[in-house]
Amino acid sequence: MTPTERNGGRYAALYVRETLPAPAARQRSRLRGRLRRLEAEGSIDGFDVFDCPKRIRCENPTAVGARDRYLAFTEWARRNEVSLRPSFQTRECYAMDTGEKGDWLVFPALSLAVYDDGDLVAVYPHADDGGYRSVADGLSALAGTDGSESVGDPGPAPVTTAD
């Protein structure tokens, strides 16, 4: 089931790179535990943890689900006048399978999407005029412990795109 197939309520989706170094893997476990607590406390109605590729080709990507998720994230960023950079970046990378260089979209090790009644209302990490907003900041906003920002209302910020 994809996040947008859920009906009603607040839902969180944690996206984790398929391969992570040990410190990031420990962080993933801590974040999953925090999501469980948020669900138990009623701050969210549910959550899932999904694998995410480290990178996808910009031209003719094979991971169309990851591409579509990125496109939804960039649309959210444009509407809310925030930037997904530097966490989501397009870089020239070497393709092991073809031996050629090309443009690839590189995903952060961890990202969080928040849906309210099936609509994407927040993406972490992102940057706004108040600075960088991490996945941990997103979880704090869901818990109501972050007074600087509420989920779905990042406030005014300069417009920048993530490619």
Side-chain angles (χ1 to χ4, degrees):
M1 174 178 296
T2 64
T4 55
E5 289 174 347
R6 291 182 175 257
N7 295 323
R10 180 154 285 180
Y11 169 76
L14 180 64
Y15 296 96
V16 182
R17 274 193 191 164
E18 295 164 332
T19 56
L20 291 175
R26 286 190 297 274
Q27 177 70 358
R28 174 190 55 207
S29 296
R30 284 191 295 272
L31 293 172
R32 184 178 289 163
R34 191 157 178 206
L35 284 164
R36 280 190 196 107
R37 287 190 301 279
L38 288 170
E39 184 179 32
E41 295 165 358
S43 297
I44 58 174
D45 297 306
F47 75 92
D48 282 304
V49 179
F50 298 99
D51 284 338
C52 179
K54 179 178 180 175
R55 63 186 186 173
I56 61 171
R57 283 188 168 104
C58 290
E59 188 174 310
N60 300 322
T62 56
V64 292
R67 180 211 51 209
D68 292 348
R69 182 175 60 255
Y70 172 74
L71 293 174
F73 287 5
T74 58
E75 177 58 29
W76 171 84
R78 271 193 284 279
R79 279 193 325 265
N80 290 279
E81 300 180 332
V82 301
S83 175
L84 296 179
R85 288 186 177 267
S87 300
F88 294 83
Q89 289 195 25
T90 302
R91 297 184 191 144
E92 185 176 60
C93 297
Y94 178 76
M96 297 295 284
D97 58 340
T98 64
E100 298 175 359
K101 287 185 179 180
D103 289 333
W104 292 69
L105 170 64
V106 180
F107 291 91
L110 302 163
S111 60
L112 178 72
V114 180
Y115 298 87
D116 203 358
D117 293 328
D119 296 324
L120 181 62
V121 296
V123 176
Y124 297 90
H126 70 264
D128 60 22
D129 67 343
Y132 176 77
R133 306 292 181 201
S134 68
V135 170
D137 293 331
L139 295 175
S140 293
L142 283 170
T145 58
D146 179 353
S148 66
E149 159 182 17
S150 65
V151 172
D153 182 25
V159 178
T160 52
T161 62
D163 288 24

